Amino acid sequence: ALQVGTPSHHNTSHRYPSCIEEVTETLLPHKLCDYLYHLTEKCNVFYDKERVLKSTEGEEEGSVKLVLTDDGSTKLTLTEAATRVMAHGLKLLGISTVERL
């Protein structure tokens, strides 16, 4: 599983600028597609294995609210960064994104 602070995580996060540079030099946009695909795979594994939010009882009886887990702030930051990278990469490819599924 992809974990915050692991070499796998760092390897993916710092490669984006290099990927963009390579695409602009070689004019091979499929390399950006490959990068985004692999980033998405890693994010899906991370999202499946790591808990970012947890359910707690809300103020009203019977209601539930979502709050960050103890280490959720770091995980949320990682998730937001990956989201920004994916949105930027897709924009460069001319692919529009949606806010929610």
Side-chain angles (χ1 to χ4, degrees):
L2 179 64
Q3 297 177 3
V4 177
T6 63
S8 180
H9 160 253
H10 291 296
N11 185 33
T12 302
S13 62
H14 82 277
R15 283 190 35 226
Y16 184 64
S18 300
C19 177
I20 297 299
E21 186 176 328
E22 182 180 0
V23 168
T24 58
E25 289 174 358
T26 63
L27 301 177
L28 298 172
H30 75 277
K31 292 186 179 273
L32 177 56
C33 297
D34 289 343
Y35 174 86
L36 294 174
Y37 178 79
H38 292 295
L39 177 61
T40 302
E41 283 183 322
K42 289 182 179 189
C43 286
N44 283 332
V45 169
F46 178 79
Y47 187 80
D48 187 48
K49 302 287 183 195
E50 300 291 332
R51 185 172 218 165
V52 177
L53 299 172
K54 63 181 176 182
S55 299
T56 63
E57 287 189 34
E59 295 176 11
E60 297 178 24
E61 186 176 331
S63 68
V64 174
K65 67 178 182 176
L66 296 176
V67 296
L68 289 174
T69 60
D70 292 337
D71 58 351
S73 180
T74 301
K75 293 175 183 177
L76 185 60
T77 300
L78 177 62
T79 303
E80 289 173 341
T83 300
R84 285 193 304 273
V85 167
M86 285 187 263
H88 184 260
L90 291 171
K91 182 177 178 181
L92 290 176
L93 293 168
I95 301 170
S96 59
T97 59
V98 295
E99 290 295 316
R100 297 183 76 176
L101 290 179

